[in-house]
Amino acid sequence: MAKVLVVPDARLDIERIEHGIELAKMYHADSIVLMGNYFDPIDGEKAEQKDWERMWDYLKKVTKENMNLIPLIGEHELSYLNCNMRLNGHNGKFRGYIRNELSRHYRFMPCVAIDGVLYSNCGVTTEWLRAHKIMLENEIRFRLGKNGGAALIEQAICKQTSWIPFFDGHKNTASCMRATVKVLMYSAPQNITQVVGSAVVSTPSPMGRIWFVNSVNKNEYTMFNNGEPQVYVYHGKND
């Protein structure tokens, strides 16, 4: 099974990603999943448009240099694609630039399945899948037993000609990039292990197996080995 290090909520902080890459090398991770939310400053922090541009230039560079790095889209990126959304720290002047750039760089996806585990910024709910006719009940029954449910969801969402129009313009974009923790805990597809970039590491939910990774402490990272989490703290290159 793959060892996957996840990096949530960089929020214009390039070092957050850099330190995650260092830890991944140190502990021999097979993959690094960036959980989205690269843009917009955290409450109370100041930022200028050049900070948005600097982050985007870095993302393009680091994804080319690290082929084991998988960049996902978060709700803050979605807010630049969806005219109905305004999240904290949002820079409306940057909407056209981010939208155009994301549409041209295919490696940035809503979710990814690795060894039967589904990674996304906000998680996937059963209601959202049904509303968008992504999964049929018979497909769920036949494929979950073989650990294929996560891969089935990824294929349905990500393998479209373009997923951006799929999310843009919907008031209820819900899953992957816009599902609340409360809804997800009680409405996740059963028997699919999910890793979600929100809040803190938690116990599995009663309606499926969900891990919420820490997006608050910027020195803390989570490695998933065989679907089980282990927390690492970044102290510096020599530690």
Side-chain angles (χ1 to χ4, degrees):
M1 297 289 283
K3 293 172 65 176
V4 181
L5 186 129
V6 298
V7 182
D9 279 34
R11 301 290 292 275
L12 298 177
D13 184 354
I14 289 175
E15 286 190 347
R16 172 75 159 143
I17 300 174
E18 287 282 280
H19 296 167
I21 293 173
E22 290 174 23
L23 281 176
K25 292 177 179 178
M26 188 183 306
Y27 293 102
H28 308 291
D30 299 294
S31 300
I32 307 165
V33 177
L34 305 183
M35 303 291 279
N37 290 351
Y38 313 106
F39 301 108
D40 302 341
I42 296 173
D43 290 344
E45 296 183 357
K46 294 182 179 180
E48 300 177 5
Q49 184 159 325
K50 65 181 181 181
D51 297 308
W52 274 258
E53 294 171 349
R54 179 170 170 262
M55 171 58 83
W56 181 247
D57 289 341
Y58 170 76
L59 287 171
K60 289 188 289 185
K61 176 177 178 289
V62 77
T63 51
K64 288 180 180 178
E65 294 176 346
N66 299 272
M67 294 310 295
N68 67 333
L69 188 149
I70 304 168
L72 302 183
I73 297 294
E75 61 180 346
H76 281 266
E77 288 70 62
L78 181 63
S79 72
Y80 289 93
L81 304 177
N82 189 323
C83 59
N84 295 311
M85 293 177 63
R86 290 291 188 279
L87 299 179
N88 59 310
H90 184 90
N91 183 345
K93 296 180 180 179
F94 213 43
R95 177 187 298 280
Y97 178 79
I98 293 181
R99 181 185 177 87
N100 291 336
E101 290 293 308
L102 288 176
S103 66
R104 289 164 43 195
H105 291 273
Y106 66 93
R107 287 197 63 194
F108 291 79
M109 304 303 290
C111 61
V112 65
I114 302 175
D115 286 342
V117 178
L118 187 71
Y119 296 80
S120 68
N121 181 251
C122 287
V124 171
T125 63
T126 301
E127 285 76 8
W128 188 85
L129 293 171
R130 289 174 178 166
H132 291 81
K133 300 180 180 178
I134 288 178
M135 273 178 134
L136 300 176
E137 290 300 322
N138 61 335
E139 290 180 308
I140 295 175
R141 287 195 209 98
F142 284 114
R143 300 191 65 169
L144 281 184
K146 298 180 180 179
N147 216 12
L152 184 63
I153 293 173
E154 180 199 355
Q155 290 168 12
I157 295 175
C158 297
K159 306 305 180 186
Q160 303 178 67
T161 303
S162 174
W163 55 263
I164 289 179
F166 184 72
F167 287 94
D168 185 33
H170 294 283
K171 290 184 178 180
N172 181 22
T173 49
S175 295
C176 282
M177 295 173 280
R178 198 62 175 159
T180 65
V181 172
K182 182 178 180 180
V183 170
L184 186 61
M185 287 288 286
Y186 292 98
S187 185
Q190 296 187 33
N191 301 319
I192 294 181
T193 299
Q194 296 194 58
V195 174
V196 177
S198 173
V200 296
V201 174
S202 178
T203 56
S205 81
M207 293 295 290
R209 199 166 183 209
I210 305 173
W211 297 103
F212 298 99
V213 297
N214 193 320
S215 60
V216 178
N217 185 346
K218 289 193 173 184
N219 290 323
E220 197 169 283
Y221 299 81
T222 308
M223 178 94 76
F224 286 86
N225 189 1
N226 196 24
E228 299 294 332
Q230 186 170 358
V231 175
Y232 293 93
V233 178
Y234 180 85
H235 296 291
K237 289 186 178 181
N238 297 323
D239 292 354

